[in-house]
């Protein structure tokens, strides 16, 4: 009987503790896939200056997980190039390999070729199931930002 008296508080503590523990009730957010549309921003600062320039355009992005392929369309006449290639996701990072980027720039993150930005290299991303935001920063003078909404 004396042993039972010492065991009751332990059992009661275990029962109360296990009932307070909760599982992870948050749904898992899927990786981005499908068609997206929204704004691309090219943010730059010229060396030796403090003024920041921002150029914007509306683009569309299509991501297909089955083939790990992507394509960029929309307003590709001025600051962003139309492109397509392969992509991969690792945690909060997403990497793009644009097939139109020349071999000598293949290891360059977020290249600008002939005055147009290319979706190429490694980006941090946030995706909540409907909004996809991606960003990469090159040094202290250049950033690419994508603010896209899922359209299908």
């Amino acid at each position: 009987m004396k042993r039972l008296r010492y065991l009751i508080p332990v059992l009661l503590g275990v029962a109360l503790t296990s009932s307070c523990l909760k599982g992870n009730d948050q749904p898992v957010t899927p990786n981005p896939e499908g068609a997206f549309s929204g704004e691309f921003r090219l943010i730059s600062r010229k060396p030796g200056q403090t003024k920041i320039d921002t150029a914007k355009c509306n683009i569309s992005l299509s991501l297909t997980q089955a083939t790990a392929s992507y394509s960029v369309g929309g307003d590709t006449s001025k600051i962003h190039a139309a492109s397509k290639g392969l992509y991969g996701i690792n945690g909060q990072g997403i990497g793009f390999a644009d097939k139109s980027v020349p071999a000598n720039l293949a290891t360059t993150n977020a290249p600008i070729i002939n005055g147009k930005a290319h979706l190429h290299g490694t980006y941090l991303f946030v995706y909540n199931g409907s909004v996809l935001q991606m960003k990469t920063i090159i040094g202290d003078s250049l950033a690419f930002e994508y603010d896209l909404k899922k359209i299908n």
Side-chain angles (χ1 to χ4, degrees):
M1 191 67 155
K2 288 183 181 181
R3 289 184 189 173
L4 186 59
R5 186 181 318 165
Y6 295 111
L7 191 56
I8 289 176
V10 172
L11 292 174
L12 186 59
V14 168
L16 289 175
T17 303
S18 65
S19 68
C20 292
L21 296 177
K22 292 184 178 181
N24 188 359
D25 294 340
Q26 295 182 356
V28 176
T29 303
N31 286 334
E33 180 178 26
F36 297 86
S37 180
E39 188 175 76
F40 165 73
R41 291 180 293 277
L42 173 64
I43 302 167
S44 61
R45 183 179 56 83
K46 292 181 181 170
Q49 294 187 357
T50 57
K51 183 182 175 200
I52 295 174
D53 293 323
T54 303
K56 302 175 187 179
C57 69
N58 291 315
I59 65 161
S60 60
L61 173 66
S62 176
L63 299 173
T64 307
Q65 280 187 349
T67 59
S69 62
Y70 78 95
S71 64
V72 175
D75 181 7
T76 57
S77 62
K78 294 182 182 175
I79 66 169
H80 202 293
S83 62
K84 57 180 147 182
L86 300 175
Y87 79 100
I89 295 173
N90 186 5
Q92 290 304 116
I94 185 168
F96 296 92
D98 185 344
K99 291 180 182 178
S100 67
V101 171
N104 64 327
L105 294 175
T107 59
T108 303
N109 196 45
I112 297 177
I113 302 168
N114 297 325
K116 291 185 178 184
H118 285 254
L119 182 55
H120 183 82
T122 305
Y123 297 74
L124 292 175
F125 81 96
V126 176
Y127 180 60
N128 67 4
S130 62
V131 175
L132 172 62
Q133 295 177 317
M134 302 184 298
K135 184 172 189 170
T136 193
I137 300 172
I138 294 83
D140 65 350
S141 60
L142 184 65
F144 287 12
E145 292 182 350
Y146 296 83
D147 193 4
L148 309 170
K149 292 182 181 174
K150 189 165 182 152
I151 55 176
N152 79 346

